[in-house]
Amino acid sequence: MDYKGLVTKIIPFSFVDGPGNRMAIFLQGCNFNCGYCHNPETINYCNNCGSCVEVCPSGALTIQNSKVNYSKEKCGDCDMCISHCPHFSTPKARKMATSEVMSEIKGVEPFIQGITISGGECTLQWKFIRELFIKVKEETKLTTFIDSNGYFSQEALFGLLPVTDGFMLDLKGASSAIHQQITGKDNKRVLENIKTVYEKGKLYQLRYVVVPTVNDGEEIEVLAQRIKEIAKDLPLVLIPFRKYGVKGKYKDLSGATIKLLEDIKELLLKRGLTNIDIRSE
Ligand code: SF4
Ligand code: SF4
């Protein structure tokens, strides 16, 4: 097979998407609608409304047969189309076969330690990821990581586990109600998947974005409880909410301070968790 995936963008070198220097591959489409999404253009599939075509200063967007056509060669990467899109999408996503992505990986292979697939919610395209990771394992020595919101099926989980070296998962809210409020979905499936990935020894980190007034305060007691139910040494990373790039319902909230994160870390340590980090940016 040569599966095709809908790829939003590829960053050849990234130091913030897992261990070492990695190629980060972002896939289009998400099953959550988070109020603080920092990549809102990855949420929806383009509906070809055409409204971004007129704002492109480079003539990289045209309409052909009622579809928006994107020219990578003409694009100046100003992202005005993305800022303008009222539909939380991008005209720049393109279908790529796993063989095409492998060619891009081979081009930078000597300079990276691995690849990370992110999104959007990349596991919506898990068959594409699985085939790509099999090729990566067969043809290179690179490591394979997945960055996910944790909301995926058992079929996706057990399809990806054998070919994935590490998972970076999110827990957006510890209680079902707050998770629902932030993402639009409850967290039962997410917690089950975190537990399975941890027990298989493949949880690289669990990220909790602290959103002041939304999932701090009493929600942190629930967070401590939920994590202890899985393992007190589960690798948890606290990340401050930042409003930069946010278009969703939390766009007017203030960012979280590092002092707030330090206080939360201290509380979690007191509640018995042992493996907590803070990411300042
Ligand atoms: S990217 Fe957005 S604005 Fe452009 S055609 Fe697609 S939905 Fe419309
Ligand atoms: S990023 Fe979008 S608006 Fe900017 S040049 Fe490229 S296609 Fe045009």
Side-chain angles (χ1 to χ4, degrees):
M1 286 290 291
D2 198 11
Y3 269 106
K4 285 194 169 173
L6 189 58
V7 177
T8 313
K9 65 180 171 189
I10 296 179
I11 298 177
F13 306 113
S14 167
F15 288 94
V16 295
D17 291 292
N21 189 10
R22 313 184 69 77
M23 174 180 271
I25 301 166
F26 295 80
L27 303 188
Q28 187 72 18
C30 189
N31 46 12
F32 283 0
N33 191 7
C34 297
Y36 61 72
C37 181
H38 287 93
N39 298 313
E41 75 278 12
T42 64
I43 295 176
N44 293 317
Y45 302 114
C46 170
N47 65 9
N48 292 293
C49 72
S51 107
C52 57
V53 172
E54 62 205 34
V55 303
C56 175
S58 307
L61 299 173
T62 50
I63 295 186
Q64 290 171 3
N65 301 325
S66 305
K67 294 210 157 154
V68 172
N69 188 51
Y70 166 67
S71 164
K72 190 168 168 43
E73 291 67 39
K74 289 185 180 169
C75 176
D77 277 327
C78 67
D79 284 348
M80 284 173 69
C81 50
I82 290 171
S83 308
H84 178 80
C85 176
H87 189 57
F88 289 26
S89 188
T90 168
K92 296 164 74 177
R94 59 194 171 122
K95 284 219 161 126
M96 292 181 77
T98 54
S99 56
E100 288 176 82
V101 180
M102 278 309 294
S103 302
E104 300 227 3
I105 293 171
K106 293 282 181 67
V108 295
E109 187 188 347
F111 312 108
I112 57 175
Q113 278 75 55
I115 66 165
T116 297
I117 311 285
S118 183
E121 176 45 37
C122 63
T123 61
L124 289 172
Q125 302 184 58
W126 71 268
K127 289 183 181 171
F128 167 79
I129 300 174
R130 182 180 155 83
E131 184 180 271
L132 179 66
F133 281 5
I134 288 171
K135 289 182 179 177
V136 169
K137 292 287 175 201
E138 283 172 356
E139 298 175 32
T140 77
K141 292 196 176 350
L142 299 172
T143 57
T144 52
F145 273 60
I146 282 176
D147 175 348
S148 159
N149 66 23
Y151 196 86
F152 42 77
S153 66
Q154 291 274 292
E155 192 189 13
L157 173 61
F158 288 101
L160 290 170
L161 268 169
V163 295
T164 306
D165 295 311
F167 286 76
M168 294 174 285
L169 300 179
D170 297 332
L171 183 61
K172 315 268 188 182
S175 67
S176 192
I178 296 295
H179 195 275
Q180 177 100 33
Q181 184 186 320
I182 294 172
T183 70
K185 300 258 171 66
D186 78 35
N187 63 7
K188 183 170 179 287
R189 186 188 290 191
V190 176
L191 288 164
E192 286 168 1
N193 285 338
I194 292 168
K195 185 169 191 292
T196 305
V197 171
Y198 174 82
E199 287 172 354
K200 297 286 181 189
K202 294 203 170 180
L203 183 64
Y204 177 71
Q205 57 182 214
L206 178 70
R207 285 94 46 101
Y208 187 86
V209 176
V210 176
V211 189
T213 74
V214 176
N215 67 359
D216 57 346
E218 288 180 9
E219 187 71 358
I220 301 303
E221 295 288 355
V222 188
L223 177 65
Q225 195 54 41
R226 292 285 175 272
I227 293 194
K228 274 198 290 186
E229 283 163 10
I230 301 171
K232 63 183 184 182
D233 69 344
L234 183 148
L236 177 69
V237 181
L238 301 173
I239 299 174
F241 163 73
R242 296 275 185 249
K243 61 199 289 179
Y244 177 76
V246 174
K247 278 179 165 181
K249 65 180 175 184
Y250 300 137
K251 67 181 187 317
D252 296 323
L253 286 183
S254 302
T257 62
I258 295 303
K259 168 81 170 69
L260 174 62
L261 269 63
E262 282 167 352
D263 290 347
I264 290 173
K265 178 177 176 179
E266 199 179 313
L267 179 68
L268 292 171
L269 289 170
K270 275 190 196 148
R271 295 294 181 267
L273 305 193
T274 60
N275 191 358
I276 306 165
D277 233 327
I278 289 177
R279 196 170 92 195
S280 52
E281 281 309 321

